[in-house]
Each structure stands twice: as structure tokens, then as C-alpha cells.
Amino acid sequence: MKRSDTARTGREQLLISNAVDQSLSKCDFTAFNGAKVFVEEKYLESIDKGYIVGSIRHRLMLNGASIVGKPEEADVVFEMRSGGIGTDNAESYVGIPEIVLPGMFSLPEVRFWQKQKQSALAKIGVVAYDPKNHEILGAGGVSAAMSNDTNFFFMGMGPYQSGTAKDELERTTIRQVGQPAQELPSIVAFRELSTRAVPDRVQLTGEAREQQ
């Protein structure tokens, strides 16, 4: 059997996106209602850059902003930067470490109680300015947040989980009563555009020709 894993675990990616969401939730985007906004991302350096940029664009549009592709088309340039986006791990236990005895013998490690904690930090800086006169719009600022995932083991039993990652999964993965569901077709097919000009066709019926 061959097993292949992604470069990062799903839980690690979830922790980072959770921290990003918490960080952006502290930002007020209502001031951009009705404005054309260009999202400047060149100062943002992170492996999760796509998620951060997409989340900011989503929040801007939810607050009534229109996203444009060029600074010269915008009323506002929204600039972002990352001050730190990543994960940390910590592990501790109560038990007996492995003891090596003289000769070929050793006593194995015994863990009565064990704690594994993984946390993610997201620190995102934002500023907005008028591209015509480069005047800053408000003070901007830096928003930081942390997510965590903690697992406990007792006498080899577990894990007993807690943390923001567990809370998010319980809140978002369970389908609520009355929640709409729309599955994608399992057979893929497309149709022509209705506005497409259709040329005259010739239909052959026996030996007679009919012009349509």
C-alpha cells in the first residue's frame, strides 16, 4: 500500500484560515460602500495569499464596494501586508521516559497524560488611500488573531479535542435544518449561447431540398 499526504495537514490549513477570518472580522469595511476599490496585494507574502486576498475581496463586496482591476479605475486603493502567518506546535506529557539499561535491554516510554497543542497566528496590516492624490483614508491598522487545536490523551485513550478549530468544524460541517443543498451534476454537458447567430441550414429530405 502506498500512502501520499499533502505538504500541509488539513488541520494546519484550517487553523490558519480560522486565524485569518478572525483577524479580518475585526476590520470595518462599511466605509467602502459604493466605492470602486482596487485591492493591492504586492506587499502580501504568504503561502495562504490566495485565501487572504479572496476573503478581503469578499468582505469588500459584501459591504457594497465594486472591485476593479486597475488603480486608475479605482476611487480607493486597499493595500494589505502580512506581519506573520504560520503555525506553532507544543507537546507535553506526564510519565516515564525511556530508560536504557546496560546491555541490550531498555524500558519503554510510558505516558500517563499527554497534551498536544497546535496554534496558528495571523497578523494582517491594511491601509486605504485615494489613488488620485495619494491621501490616506483613515488610519488603517494591524489586526491579529490566533486559533488553536488542543488534543489530550489519558492512559493511551483519546484524543479529547478542544479549541477554535473544533468549534468551527462543529458549526460549519453539520447541515442545519432547512439549510438548502444543491449538488452538482455528475454528467457534464454544455449548451450554446442563446445570443449566438445560427446560420441558415439546409435539410435534405429524399431528393427535395428545403431552405430554412
Side-chain angles (χ1 to χ4, degrees):
M1 181 177 65
K2 182 179 179 180
R3 176 177 175 178
S4 176
D5 295 321
T6 56
R8 298 188 300 165
T9 64
R11 187 56 61 100
E12 179 182 354
Q13 297 176 62
L14 176 64
L15 283 169
I16 290 179
S17 63
N18 185 280
V20 169
D21 291 338
Q22 291 185 55
S23 178
L24 295 180
S25 294
K26 301 177 184 179
C27 302
D28 186 4
F29 293 88
T30 56
F32 304 103
N33 183 23
K36 297 179 180 178
V37 181
F38 172 74
V39 180
E40 178 61 81
E41 55 188 80
K42 65 181 179 181
Y43 300 110
L44 181 65
E45 296 182 1
S46 171
I47 190 173
D48 299 280
K49 179 177 180 178
Y51 184 80
I52 299 171
V53 174
S55 297
I56 289 177
R57 289 167 60 93
H58 190 178
R59 291 171 186 269
L60 285 168
M61 288 186 285
L62 279 178
N63 285 274
S66 300
I67 306 299
V68 296
K70 298 179 181 179
E72 53 268 24
E73 299 174 353
D75 303 319
V76 178
V77 173
F78 188 93
E79 194 174 282
M80 70 199 81
R81 61 194 183 277
S82 57
I85 300 173
T87 58
D88 296 303
N89 293 277
E91 183 176 353
S92 59
Y93 74 93
V94 176
I96 303 172
E98 181 182 6
I99 301 175
V100 180
L101 300 175
M104 302 293 292
F105 300 99
S106 64
L107 297 178
E109 178 184 82
V110 178
R111 298 191 177 192
F112 302 111
W113 177 88
Q114 181 181 358
K115 176 183 177 182
Q116 296 175 345
K117 183 177 181 180
Q118 186 176 31
S119 58
L121 172 69
K123 180 181 178 182
I124 301 175
V126 294
V127 65
Y129 62 89
D130 188 332
K132 300 177 181 62
N133 55 22
H134 293 84
E135 179 183 354
I136 189 172
L137 304 176
V142 177
S143 180
M146 179 175 287
S147 61
N148 61 83
D149 178 51
T150 305
N151 296 280
F152 295 96
F153 299 84
F154 180 71
M155 299 298 292
M157 295 182 294
Y160 303 101
Q161 295 179 306
S162 64
T164 58
K166 178 177 180 292
D167 295 339
E168 181 178 358
L169 286 175
E170 290 181 347
R171 186 179 68 254
T172 58
T173 57
I174 300 176
R175 183 180 174 188
Q176 304 296 324
V177 177
Q179 181 178 352
Q182 184 178 11
E183 296 184 0
L184 295 177
S186 57
I187 300 177
V188 181
F190 303 95
R191 63 177 178 83
E192 295 180 351
L193 295 174
S194 58
T195 56
R196 181 178 175 183
V198 180
D200 292 340
R201 292 177 295 177
V202 176
Q203 179 180 354
L204 302 180
T205 305
E207 297 181 354
R209 296 185 178 181
E210 296 178 1
Q211 184 75 25
Q212 290 188 343

